Amino acid sequence: MQYQSNAMNTQPLVSVIIPTYNRAHLIGETLNSVLAQTYQNWECIIVDDGSSDNTDEVVGAYVEKDSRFKYFHRPDEHLPGGNGARNYGFKMSSGDYIQWLDSDDFISPINLKLKVELAVIEKSDIVISKNTKLLTDFKDHFVIQKTLRPSNSITNKFYKEFIQSRNQILIGDPLIKSEVTKQLRFREKLIRGQDHDYLIRLFHQPLKISKIDNQLYFYRQTDNSITRKASSLSFRFANAQLKLNIEIQSKFCDDKDIVFEYDRKNKKLYKTYILANRPEFIFLHFNIFRKTFKLSYFEFLYFLALNIITKKGFDRMKIV
């Protein structure tokens, strides 16, 4: 059955872009949440990143049922991974607004309606809501809270706190005007912190951002999620995280608060690998960690040996 509406062309089109990889068992719930939107003028672009399960069959059923679903396979011109799939999805989109969404998460039925209404009323470039990983909270809140909250223009304080990871904004939450993101792409070679990196670059522009004090976005951490992979002490992910931390410090080197925050992140990484009996990661990046702690070569070597042997002494290095 194809979807038709005479009123659709009077409302902004929203492109919901979903990269997916071997999520046939979960993506149905995600697509159902898009299908359940009270706001009707959307297109949903799903980009498969090389799945080996029955994703084609599952997504194909939605495409057949509703022409607003559009299914693609990531072409070789984009690198494997969610970043390449997202970039291709954006290339294939036609919306006035973009809503990124991961294939194991979902949005409340009033997500697009509230965000588009506020974006139009306030002439906002971006609308942000709250998110939750607790399904009970999510169901309770989207039924009850429907009031549009006052909007806030972006401020230096907002931007700085986001860079410092004090504002938790997940990539599947913001509704973004296509115009302000058309020059941005996800960095396809980046395997850690890619969402944070994308949003840092997005928020660096002079934008008007509105906020809705509702939990409209539910996310979950699956066994093969990047978060879980990072927590498994993979050197590949830790290397990528450390590299991104140093890059952000370099970019905002004149802001001592941001530099301090990313020093703190590096120190936390150091402690994690020492306690996990994986000091080889520290030796791989000896000078980076030494400079992070602002210690001489021999001072750092002394504390490193002490930490490895006793799993103590971190406080003396002022790890926070």
Side-chain angles (χ1 to χ4, degrees):
M1 181 178 68
Q2 303 298 305
Y3 177 84
Q4 295 181 347
S5 172
N6 294 328
M8 282 183 67
N9 58 8
T10 65
Q11 298 175 312
L13 176 66
V14 178
S15 296
V16 181
I17 302 176
I18 305 174
T20 189
Y21 175 73
N22 285 345
R23 293 271 176 79
H25 60 300
L26 293 173
I27 196 171
E29 191 170 24
T30 302
L31 300 184
N32 284 340
S33 78
V34 177
L35 196 58
Q37 292 302 299
T38 57
Y39 186 85
Q40 297 291 298
N41 196 20
W42 51 263
E43 63 175 3
C44 184
I45 297 172
I46 305 106
V47 181
D48 184 77
D49 189 41
S51 297
S52 57
D53 61 5
N54 63 324
T55 296
D56 284 356
E57 179 183 347
V58 172
V59 176
Y62 285 86
V63 174
E64 184 176 349
K65 179 169 59 177
D66 193 315
S67 62
R68 291 175 295 175
F69 289 105
K70 302 173 183 180
Y71 186 43
F72 302 94
H73 290 81
R74 175 191 49 76
D76 291 339
E77 65 193 70
H78 292 278
L79 294 179
N83 298 344
R86 284 189 181 120
N87 286 339
Y88 183 67
F90 181 75
K91 186 185 297 183
M92 303 307 295
S93 68
S94 304
D96 303 291
Y97 294 91
I98 299 295
Q99 174 80 61
W100 303 108
L101 188 60
D102 285 343
S103 57
D104 56 344
D105 301 339
F106 53 91
I107 51 180
S108 81
I110 57 174
N111 184 300
L112 297 184
K113 180 178 185 295
L114 290 188
K115 288 177 179 176
V116 171
E117 282 181 4
L118 190 54
V120 171
I121 292 170
E122 298 292 340
K123 296 181 172 58
S124 303
D125 299 301
I126 299 174
V127 179
I128 298 170
S129 65
K130 290 185 176 180
N131 57 73
T132 180
K133 60 182 178 181
L134 299 176
L135 188 55
T136 52
D137 286 351
F138 180 79
K139 287 185 174 179
D140 288 341
H141 282 76
F142 80 67
V143 172
I144 299 170
Q145 299 181 10
K146 296 186 180 181
T147 303
L148 295 180
R149 306 295 182 180
S151 64
N152 299 304
S153 295
I154 190 167
T155 62
N156 289 334
K157 182 174 182 290
F158 172 93
Y159 183 48
K160 181 172 177 176
E161 288 183 348
F162 176 75
I163 296 169
Q164 294 175 287
S165 303
R166 294 180 182 175
N167 293 330
Q168 188 194 38
I169 302 171
L170 304 181
I171 195 64
D173 181 14
L175 181 80
I176 307 168
K177 186 179 290 185
S178 296
E179 287 181 10
V180 304
T181 192
K182 65 182 179 181
Q183 300 302 324
L184 292 179
R185 295 295 181 272
F186 288 87
R187 292 165 60 187
E188 297 187 12
K189 293 183 179 180
L190 198 62
I191 62 170
R192 187 80 176 109
Q194 55 268 54
D195 297 355
H196 193 63
D197 168 76
Y198 175 88
L199 291 174
I200 284 177
R201 289 182 286 121
L202 176 66
F203 294 154
H204 186 65
Q205 305 173 82
L207 303 171
K208 184 173 185 181
I209 294 184
S210 296
K211 302 175 185 177
I212 298 176
D213 192 23
N214 298 39
Q215 292 171 309
L216 302 179
Y217 171 56
F218 172 84
Y219 68 97
R220 74 176 108 214
Q221 294 179 351
T222 56
D223 290 339
N224 65 341
S225 70
I226 285 178
T227 304
R228 292 292 179 87
K229 288 179 181 177
S231 66
S232 68
L233 299 173
S234 161
F235 277 20
R236 181 168 175 257
F237 282 90
N239 286 334
Q241 183 64 66
L242 187 61
K243 180 179 179 181
L244 183 61
N245 290 351
I246 298 302
E247 182 181 310
I248 292 173
Q249 281 186 313
S250 177
K251 183 175 182 179
F252 299 98
C253 59
D254 293 332
D255 191 310
K256 63 180 182 180
D257 295 328
I258 292 176
V259 171
F260 175 84
E261 176 60 24
Y262 282 83
D263 272 343
R264 189 191 67 80
K265 290 178 182 288
N266 291 343
K267 291 174 181 179
K268 185 177 180 180
L269 201 58
Y270 170 92
K271 186 174 181 180
T272 296
Y273 277 85
I274 293 295
L275 293 178
N277 293 315
R278 302 293 300 278
E280 60 268 34
F281 177 74
I282 310 303
F283 285 108
L284 281 173
H285 303 286
F286 186 92
N287 280 325
I288 290 178
F289 285 112
R290 181 182 66 79
K291 291 175 181 178
T292 293
F293 287 104
K294 298 177 175 59
L295 296 172
S296 70
Y297 179 91
F298 291 106
E299 286 173 330
F300 182 66
L301 195 59
Y302 165 78
F303 279 110
L304 178 56
L306 177 67
N307 298 154
I308 292 172
I309 294 169
T310 67
K311 301 294 186 292
K312 297 178 181 179
F314 301 109
D315 57 328
R316 294 168 63 184
M317 299 174 75
K318 298 183 179 178
I319 290 182
V320 293

